[in-house]
Amino acid sequence: MTSNGVVVDEAVRAAWDSYRILEKRTSEEERRQAQQRVQAAMVTYGRDEVSRGTVFLVGVLTAHIIGQQDGGGADRLDPLSDLIPAVIRKLPSFELADPAQVPMVTGVLMAAAMGMNTVAWRDQFGTIPPKEALAHNFVLWLLADLFDSLVEQPSATDLLMRETFNSMTAEPG
């Protein structure tokens, strides 16, 4: 296990695979492979570490969405009055989303919007229970969908994440 808000690379990749499992544009074969990678990461690093990876990615995507709009015009999303409420309002569209998890996922989004380390912020409350982890997965999907909509390119977020992971693999250790 890690501390101080640091998340294992493979756990972050598995967290993104959780998004790919939810994404309807993912082919059946890719979805099956993503499920296998998530299961393997949970065995190797633990469910909590993969959940922390999802919290990390929520922070990264939130910062990316906010950063994409710097210097934007009147249609710019304000993180506190537009972005976070838009994501939270859509959360109930996921049948398995537990409403009791909304305060914690909102807190993670707020921490991200304020430029804080989301993993370190969330870690102060202990381990992430399964129902909360699932809610973070839904939030990750909603953020990716929002970013894709903002740039008007379906799967833009998935492409960005794949390129990032590929460049991390190509870097010498």
Side-chain angles (χ1 to χ4, degrees):
M1 283 300 177
T2 60
S3 61
N4 299 328
V6 177
V7 184
V8 176
D9 247 9
E10 288 77 14
V12 174
R13 291 171 195 258
W16 187 250
D17 279 328
S18 296
Y19 155 83
R20 301 201 68 242
I21 293 165
L22 290 173
E23 177 52 51
K24 63 183 179 269
R25 290 182 288 259
T26 303
S27 73
E28 284 303 313
E29 177 61 18
E30 287 177 303
R31 183 172 284 114
R32 186 185 61 71
Q33 291 172 357
Q35 288 170 331
Q36 289 173 342
R37 288 188 301 265
V38 169
Q39 290 169 348
M42 285 188 179
V43 167
T44 303
Y45 302 103
R47 184 195 54 76
D48 193 53
E49 196 64 23
V50 174
S51 298
R52 291 173 79 235
T54 304
V55 168
F56 172 78
L57 289 176
V58 165
V60 168
L61 275 183
T62 301
H64 194 69
I65 290 169
I66 292 168
Q68 279 290 110
Q69 300 186 69
D70 283 348
D75 61 346
R76 182 181 187 276
L77 284 176
D78 178 81
L80 301 180
S81 63
D82 299 323
L83 175 69
I84 295 169
V87 170
I88 296 303
R89 271 195 303 273
K90 289 187 177 188
L91 199 52
S93 67
F94 292 92
E95 190 177 307
L96 296 175
D98 178 5
Q101 306 310 315
V102 169
M104 190 60 77
V105 296
T106 302
V108 168
L109 285 167
M110 292 284 292
M114 294 187 310
M116 298 170 69
N117 178 324
T118 52
V119 175
W121 184 88
R122 177 55 192 85
D123 280 350
Q124 70 185 331
F125 301 102
T127 58
I128 301 171
K131 286 183 179 182
E132 181 189 335
L134 189 57
H136 289 299
N137 285 331
F138 296 145
V139 167
L140 183 62
W141 186 92
L142 288 166
L143 288 168
D145 188 57
L146 175 62
F147 180 75
D148 291 353
S149 297
L150 289 172
V151 298
E152 299 177 356
Q153 182 183 348
S155 301
T157 311
D158 189 39
L159 182 62
L160 178 70
M161 296 304 289
R162 286 185 195 213
E163 287 172 358
T164 302
F165 290 140
N166 288 341
S167 71
M168 289 167 53
T169 304
E171 289 176 6

